Amino acid sequence: MICALGSAVCYGTATVLQAVAARAAAGPDNGGSGDSGVDPALLLRAVRQWRYIVGLGLDGVGFVLQIVALRSVPIYAVGAALASSLAVTAVVAARLLAVRLSGTEWAAVGVVCAGLGMLGLASGSEGHRDGPAALPWALLAVAAAILMAGAVGGRLPDRARALVLGLGAGCGFGVVEVAVRLIDSLDFTNPALYALLVGGGAAFLLLTSALQRGSVTTATAGMVLGETIGPALAGVVWLGDHTRDGLGWLAVTGFAVAVAGALALARFGEAPEPSPAPSLPEVPR
């Protein structure tokens, strides 16, 4: 559980650091236009900044911690912890980007922490079942379906597009969570390995496309739902994940509370804009 929370801290902090670097790279001092148009050279300028490099390093550390967590505790606990990275992003953004959090959003951060605390108390050990023999192939089929859904969803109006692509991205990340549990070694004949690669790649493609145009809040809410509910059910039904004796109700409550709190912070799925500085009154000559 500590690894899962550490992964959330890494992912949430990396989001803000990369946002700061990207904004600095897009500024006039770096040759950028400063507008919101597509700038092919933006990534090349961003990777020259230490904040962006540190963010990439944190993403790598977060992924390793996520794998360790998925091999040790139930998927539902890891999924809820990863959703809490939105709370980390909100708090770090309030510090580094001068973003003002409302009282409701601070309360949502507290709700996420309370839900994770309940999950930590109620979670049992990782299940040790392999699931049905067809499960790895089913994951690969779901990963391919996510790519096709992305192609269709990309043609929808902005709001529906953001929801469909965000939900698809969440399902892709969910495929990764389940596939990790089905991989014991580097076996190139294991379809779960290819499901992990296709699902992870599709998730990043769809999420980037969802955030490019449309509601960030809608896309991120869809992603949180997709990466938590389905994998949690798969872990309980097929992989043997369970709770401590008599604490099933606490795990369900903690999961629901943590995800609800994360949804309340969905606007931080893409690093928020800093509060504009107050303009000084013009002094007449």
Side-chain angles (χ1 to χ4, degrees), residues 11-280:
Y11 287 149
T13 305
T15 297
V16 180
L17 289 175
Q18 289 166 349
V20 172
R23 285 175 191 159
D29 294 340
N30 289 287
S33 60
D35 57 22
S36 59
V38 176
D39 183 1
L42 176 61
L43 180 60
L44 294 177
R45 294 196 299 270
V47 295
R48 299 172 188 168
Q49 302 196 38
W50 67 267
R51 290 183 181 88
Y52 198 88
I53 299 300
V54 171
L56 289 178
L58 285 173
D59 281 334
V61 173
F63 184 67
V64 172
L65 291 175
Q66 178 185 354
I67 292 177
V68 173
L70 286 168
R71 304 291 297 181
S72 307
V73 296
I75 292 177
Y76 62 80
V78 178
L82 294 181
S84 74
S85 65
L86 292 173
V88 177
T89 298
V91 173
V92 177
R95 177 77 175 180
L96 296 184
L97 300 183
V99 175
R100 186 181 297 277
L101 270 66
S102 67
T104 301
E105 288 169 334
W106 278 116
V109 172
V111 165
V112 170
C113 294
L116 291 176
M118 287 186 277
L119 269 175
L121 291 173
S123 296
S125 60
E126 169 209 12
H128 297 288
R129 296 208 305 260
D130 295 329
L135 183 57
W137 291 103
L139 288 177
L140 184 58
V142 170
I146 290 170
L147 282 176
M148 292 187 288
V152 175
R155 300 188 179 93
L156 296 173
D158 285 355
R159 186 172 182 83
R161 177 178 182 270
L163 178 60
V164 170
L165 295 183
L167 185 60
C171 292
F173 289 128
V175 167
V176 172
E177 293 175 22
V178 179
V180 166
R181 289 279 296 275
L182 301 178
I183 299 174
D184 293 324
S185 60
L186 188 59
D187 180 5
F188 292 103
T189 65
N190 187 352
L193 175 62
Y194 301 99
L196 185 151
L197 297 175
V198 175
F204 279 111
L205 286 174
L206 266 63
L207 184 60
T208 301
S209 180
L211 298 178
Q212 183 181 11
R213 190 180 72 213
S215 169
V216 170
T217 301
T218 301
T220 307
M223 181 190 69
V224 169
L225 292 174
E227 73 177 350
T228 54
I229 297 177
L233 291 174
V236 171
V237 174
W238 290 314
L239 302 180
D241 289 347
H242 59 277
T243 64
R244 296 181 188 273
D245 291 340
L247 293 180
W249 64 272
L250 185 60
V252 172
T253 302
F255 180 85
V257 167
V259 173
L263 291 175
L265 296 167
R267 76 179 178 100
F268 292 97
E270 184 180 63
E273 293 292 335
S275 303
S279 58
L280 297 176

